Amino acid sequence: QVQLVEGGGGLVEAGGSLRLSCAASGRTFSRYAMGWFRQAPGKERAFVATITSSGGTTSYADSVKGRFTISRDNAKNTVYLQMNSLKPEDSAVYYCAATTISPVRTSDTFYGYWGQGTQVTVSS
């Protein structure tokens, strides 16, 4: 089992950057693939990015490709989401999630562990 705690959200102007972090408890973090999802008010939770347990493969939603980068540091039990060139439509609560299911999926139904979320607001 793993517990996840996100941080790094906040208010930023359009075009700015933020780096989200997600710290995991436990000694088996390196066994989990990790994902970032987001949910805007009135909308369904949506896939943002995912990374395999080793960090060797990443995948992104088309809407963030080229602007966001997911990475992980297994020695620190942490996954990151670097967000650049932020747009107002990126405003949402961002969640990190963990899964042992392979191959890595982009649907949130495959992720069994979730953090509490961190708010990102991008002003125009």
Side-chain angles (χ1 to χ4, degrees), residues 36-72:
W36 284 97
F37 294 80
R38 65 187 181 186
Q39 187 167 23
K43 294 190 176 181
E44 301 262 328
R45 188 162 56 190
F47 165 73
V48 175
T50 189
I51 188 167
T52 54
S53 57
S54 67
T57 302
T58 58
S59 178
Y60 298 92
D62 287 343
S63 59
V64 307
K65 205 170 290 184
R67 299 188 297 122
F68 290 11
T69 302
I70 188 171
S71 62
R72 66 188 296 160

Side-chain angles (χ1 to χ4, degrees), residues 13-18 66-68 83-88 90 122:
E13 292 185 351
S17 299
L18 281 174
R67 299 188 297 122
F68 290 11
M83 305 186 295
N84 298 329
S85 301
L86 282 162
K87 305 175 182 180
D90 293 319
V122 184

Side-chain angles (χ1 to χ4, degrees), residues 55 69 73 88 99 117:
T69 302
D73 185 338
T99 182

Side-chain angles (χ1 to χ4, degrees), residues 5-114:
V5 179
E6 300 99 334
L11 173 64
V12 64
E13 292 185 351
S17 299
L18 281 174
R19 188 174 83 152
L20 306 183
S21 62
C22 174
S25 64
R27 291 177 285 182
T28 60
F29 175 71
S30 61
R31 295 174 52 190
Y32 293 88
M34 301 297 295
W36 284 97
F37 294 80
R38 65 187 181 186
Q39 187 167 23
K43 294 190 176 181
E44 301 262 328
R45 188 162 56 190
F47 165 73
V48 175
T50 189
I51 188 167
T52 54
S53 57
S54 67
T57 302
T58 58
S59 178
Y60 298 92
D62 287 343
S63 59
V64 307
K65 205 170 290 184
R67 299 188 297 122
F68 290 11
T69 302
I70 188 171
S71 62
R72 66 188 296 160
D73 185 338
N74 284 347
K76 295 182 178 179
N77 282 12
T78 302
V79 63
Y80 304 96
L81 185 68
Q82 177 67 44
M83 305 186 295
N84 298 329
S85 301
L86 282 162
K87 305 175 182 180
E89 52 263 42
D90 293 319
S91 297
V93 177
Y94 282 71
Y95 299 90
C96 72
T99 182
T100 57
I101 294 174
S102 181
V104 175
R105 309 297 177 90
T106 60
S107 170
D108 60 0
T109 59
F110 291 96
Y111 290 77
Y113 304 98
W114 292 84

